């Protein structure tokens, strides 16, 4: 000790071996016809989609781990780079052996939804530049990604395959983007999230050659109109959103096939005449094929479909009631893409979309919805780096 004090250059300060720090940065260019997506993308294109993040995990003890990720994200006017905590949690494993793993996570925890929600924030782990928008909406990304509360998780390994279970009790993250998406405007008052529930059960065979899953999310919102003028356009209403997602995937040596189907139930009540009480269910689904030519080159093709309300998938009833374009209630997206892993840390991706409908594009980037076009195309190029 005396020697180190006399010559501090001999002292080596080392980080714990179990501490892992990783990061990523992505920049995309998007060019569209007629409609804007992630910025002013019409005609000359937009560079307004970029992501910057850093995450860390530290296993303090064999059964105790802490993990967190901070992100800055730009996505047109819908997301303008405000720093946020994607997740930050304490993870305690109270049972772990060759057949079972059970544990508890507390803090800001990831919502267990579908195949891709857990890793949607890192470009390297997405199957394409943009996830299937019919299920993984970018305009309400924070709401879908994580919640504040707790999660119990478990894994059971058997000869038949592996079963994985997660269940969350938490409060959703609700901001201006969610209010615009759910209420159609920024009204006097505050939209907040109440205690909500989400869960997922996955089955994996032969190390993931076959994967099947079902997941559900019951989100409760309430609108607080206290303190606003008596002539406010909205009353103290509530929204219940309950999507149910069925997932299936096959992973061969070169070919992967993935499909997910979601039934999305909405219930609006007590908002007043501006938003009448309503109860409806929408349908979302996609089918996707990925082919790996070499370890560094792969291609992807997908058809992605969104119907906001069953029984009115063409939006004609909606248009008659509201005067808005019928194509705001549906979107069918044909996509082809190519991926090149330049190195293990650098990836380049490009994709082309032909889309019919505008259900998932934002009003922030398209303030005059009457100027939207039903049929439109989108080209995107993305470069991503990770460490």
């Amino acid at each position: 000790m005396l020697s180190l004090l006399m010559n501090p250059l001999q002292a080596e300060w080392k980080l714990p071996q179990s501490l892992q720090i990783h990061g990523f940065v992505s920049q995309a260019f998007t060019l569209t016809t007629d409609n804007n997506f992630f910025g002013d993308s019409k005609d000359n294109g937009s560079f307004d989609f970029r992501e910057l993040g850093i995450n860390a995990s530290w296993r303090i003890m064999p059964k105790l781990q802490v993990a967190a990720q901070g992100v800055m994200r730009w996505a047109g006017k819908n997301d303008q780079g405000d720093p946020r905590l994607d997740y930050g949690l304490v993870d305690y494993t109270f049972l772990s052996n060759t057949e079972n793993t059970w544990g508890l996570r507390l803090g800001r925890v990831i919502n267990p939804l579908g195949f891709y929600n857990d890793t949607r924030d890192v470009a390297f782990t997405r199957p394409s530049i943009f996830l299937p928008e019919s299920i993984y909406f970018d305009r309400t990304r924070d709401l879908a990604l994580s919640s504040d509360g707790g999660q119990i998780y478990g894994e059971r390994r058997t000869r038949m395959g592996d079963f994985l279970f997660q269940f969350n009790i938490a409060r959703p993250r609700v901001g201006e983007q969610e209010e615009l998406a759910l209420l159609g405007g920024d009204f006097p008052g505050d939209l907040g999230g109440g205690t909500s529930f989400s869960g997922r059960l996955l089955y994996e065979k032969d190390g993931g050659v076959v994967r099947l899953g079902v997941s559900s999310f019951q989100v409760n919102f309430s609108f607080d109109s206290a303190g606003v003028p008596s002539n406010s356009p909205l009353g103290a209403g509530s929204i219940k959103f309950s999507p149910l997602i069925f997932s299936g995937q096959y992973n061969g040596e070169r070919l992967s096939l993935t499909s997910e189907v979601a039934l999305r139930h909405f219930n609006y009540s007590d908002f007043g005449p501006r938003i009448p009480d309503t109860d409806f269910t929408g349908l979302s689904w996609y089918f996707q094929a990925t082919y790996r030519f070499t370890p560094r080159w792969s291609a992807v093709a997908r058809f992605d479909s969104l119907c906001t309300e069953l029984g009115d998938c063409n939006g004609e009833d909606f248009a008659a009631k509201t005067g808005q374009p019928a194509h705001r209630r549906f979107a069918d997206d044909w996509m082809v893409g190519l991926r090149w892993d330049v190195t293990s840390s650098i990836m380049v991706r490009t994709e082309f979309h032909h889309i019919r409908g505008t259900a998932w594009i934002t009003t922030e980037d398209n303030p005059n919805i009457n100027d939207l076009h039903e049929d439109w195309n989108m080209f995107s190029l993305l470069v991503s780096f990770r460490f």
Side-chain angles (χ1 to χ4, degrees), residues 240-262:
K240 291 184 179 180
F241 175 45
S242 308
L244 179 65
I245 305 172
F246 300 93
S247 309
Q249 187 175 71
Y250 163 77
N251 290 301
E253 182 179 355
R254 291 181 178 271
L255 178 67
S256 292
L257 301 174
T258 307
S259 183
E260 295 188 281
V261 179

Side-chain angles (χ1 to χ4, degrees), residues 124 296 339-347 384-386:
F124 276 80
R296 292 191 175 186
R339 170 174 173 164
W340 176 31
D341 290 311
V342 184
T343 69
S344 60
S345 299
I346 300 175
M347 178 190 67
S384 185
F385 170 76
R386 65 179 176 183

